[in-house]
Amino acid sequence: MNARRARGFTLIEVILATVLLASGLALAFASLRAASATATRGEQIAHRDERMRAVSNFLRRRLSSARSIAFALDAASGQQLRFSGDGEQMRFVADLPDYLGRGGPYVHTLHVVRNGDSSERIEVDLAMALGGQTIAESPPRPPDVLVDGLGNVRFRYRGMNADGQLGGWSDTWDTPEALPLQVSIDLADKNGRAWPGLIIALQLAGSEGGGNGLGAPDRL
């Protein structure tokens, strides 16, 4: 036995030990990479969910608090404009909180802008509403980017039809002297993943002399 110990390890034993050690290290590094990838993926999902919540909350709060206040006058018809909208832009008046340093009614303009990489973003312009007019800031303030990196944006509107029933969704709001009853906003990332749909009820639709949204088209 003493003679065998003196000989030490054989070449086969050394190779076998090296292979086992390498296999163990490879398994450990693979587990570490998998854990790191899982953590990174979790952070990306959490960031995406947080962004969706923030954007959805902003849109819901601003639109649900829209007021039937005129922000312009249609030169052709003489009607006061209280809400305008199509598939990529909408304008309405809502109060801004005092803590933003801009308290009072402001015209909100949400519009879709296409980036050079074929993605889209939503920008927000704010201007004071006073005496049925939109008062631009001086010096002008650039629009704020609400959300970027979108692949699809769609705004739709819904009001009462001529029979007094809730009409279908339309890509344009054809009764600008009144607020729609509901606004639908569909968003998707540039990779095609859809965001949870938003259907927002305008709480003050039909109040403050703005009409009741009659005449909105029934196109689906």
Side-chain angles (χ1 to χ4, degrees), residues 54-183:
V55 173
S56 298
N57 286 340
F58 175 87
L59 293 171
R60 190 177 298 279
R61 290 175 181 175
R62 297 293 86 217
L63 280 163
S64 64
S65 62
R67 300 180 60 185
S68 186
I69 295 178
F71 56 81
L73 189 69
D74 189 329
S77 63
Q79 292 181 327
Q80 291 183 322
L81 305 182
R82 294 182 171 87
F83 192 102
S84 65
D86 55 33
E88 297 184 343
Q89 177 172 300
M90 68 177 83
R91 298 185 74 194
F92 58 91
V93 177
D95 288 335
L96 282 182
D98 292 335
Y99 65 80
L100 293 178
R102 291 174 156 194
Y106 269 75
V107 182
H108 293 55
T109 303
L110 305 176
H111 51 99
V112 179
V113 179
R114 288 175 174 79
N115 300 318
D117 60 356
S118 299
S119 65
E120 300 177 345
R121 67 182 184 270
I122 299 178
E123 293 185 348
V124 183
D125 277 314
L126 297 172
M128 183 180 295
L130 182 63
Q133 297 181 343
T134 299
I135 308 300
E137 292 187 352
S138 182
R141 175 173 173 169
D144 297 310
V145 178
L146 176 62
V147 59
D148 203 350
L150 298 174
N152 182 63
V153 181
R154 186 185 186 189
F155 301 148
R156 293 185 297 164
Y157 315 92
R158 198 178 195 184
M160 303 295 289
N161 59 28
D163 297 328
Q165 304 295 323
L166 189 62
W169 290 105
S170 172
D171 288 329
T172 59
W173 180 245
D174 296 333
T175 315
E177 69 275 11
L179 302 181
L181 295 180
Q182 294 177 331
V183 172

Side-chain angles (χ1 to χ4, degrees), residues 46-58:
H47 176 72
R48 178 175 178 265
D49 291 345
E50 182 62 29
R51 182 179 70 154
M52 287 192 299
R53 282 193 295 269
V55 173
S56 298
N57 286 340
F58 175 87

